[in-house]
Amino acid sequence: MANSLRGEVIKLYKNLLYLGREYPKGADYFRSRLKAAFLKHKDETDPEKIKQLIARGEFVIKELEALYFLRKYRAMKQRYYSDDKP
C-alpha cells in the first residue's frame, strides 16, 4: 500500500515540476514553492490523508493546465484578431 502511494506522490511531484517550467512568476519560484509544499507533508503516514493530498495536487495540475491554455488562447486571439471596433 505504501509503495503504491509513494509512486503516485513521486509521479505527482514530477508532473508538477514539469508544468512549473512555464509558470508566470518563473520556474525557480514555482520549484521552491513546490518543494516547500511537499516537504511540509513529508512525514505524513495516514494513507487517507496522503490520498487527499494527492487529489489536491491533481487539482493544482488541472488549474495550471487551464492557466496555460488560457494564456495561449489570449496570445492567439491577439495575433489574429484586432481590437478595432468598426
Side-chain angles (χ1 to χ4, degrees):
M1 181 76 160
N3 283 341
S4 65
L5 290 177
R6 179 178 167 84
E8 285 185 48
V9 170
I10 291 171
K11 186 173 118 179
L12 176 69
Y13 186 81
K14 286 181 179 182
N15 285 340
L16 284 167
L17 198 58
Y18 177 78
L19 287 173
R21 295 181 310 153
E22 296 180 31
Y23 194 69
K25 289 188 176 182
D28 292 332
Y29 173 81
F30 186 84
R31 189 179 310 115
S32 66
R33 298 283 304 249
L34 178 64
K35 185 176 180 179
F38 273 76
L39 286 177
K40 181 179 176 184
H41 299 288
K42 72 177 183 168
D43 295 324
E44 191 63 52
T45 56
D46 181 29
E48 291 302 317
K49 178 68 174 173
I50 294 171
K51 287 178 185 177
Q52 288 176 351
L53 293 168
I54 290 171
R56 183 187 304 171
E58 290 170 354
F59 175 76
V60 170
I61 286 175
K62 289 178 185 174
E63 290 292 315
L64 284 171
E65 288 173 344
L67 173 74
Y68 296 154
F69 286 134
L70 181 62
R71 186 173 64 186
K72 288 177 184 179
Y73 169 76
R74 287 180 178 164
M76 294 296 285
K77 188 174 177 183
Q78 282 180 338
R79 280 187 204 139
Y80 296 108
Y81 297 103
S82 65
D83 290 336
D84 297 336
K85 306 272 182 182

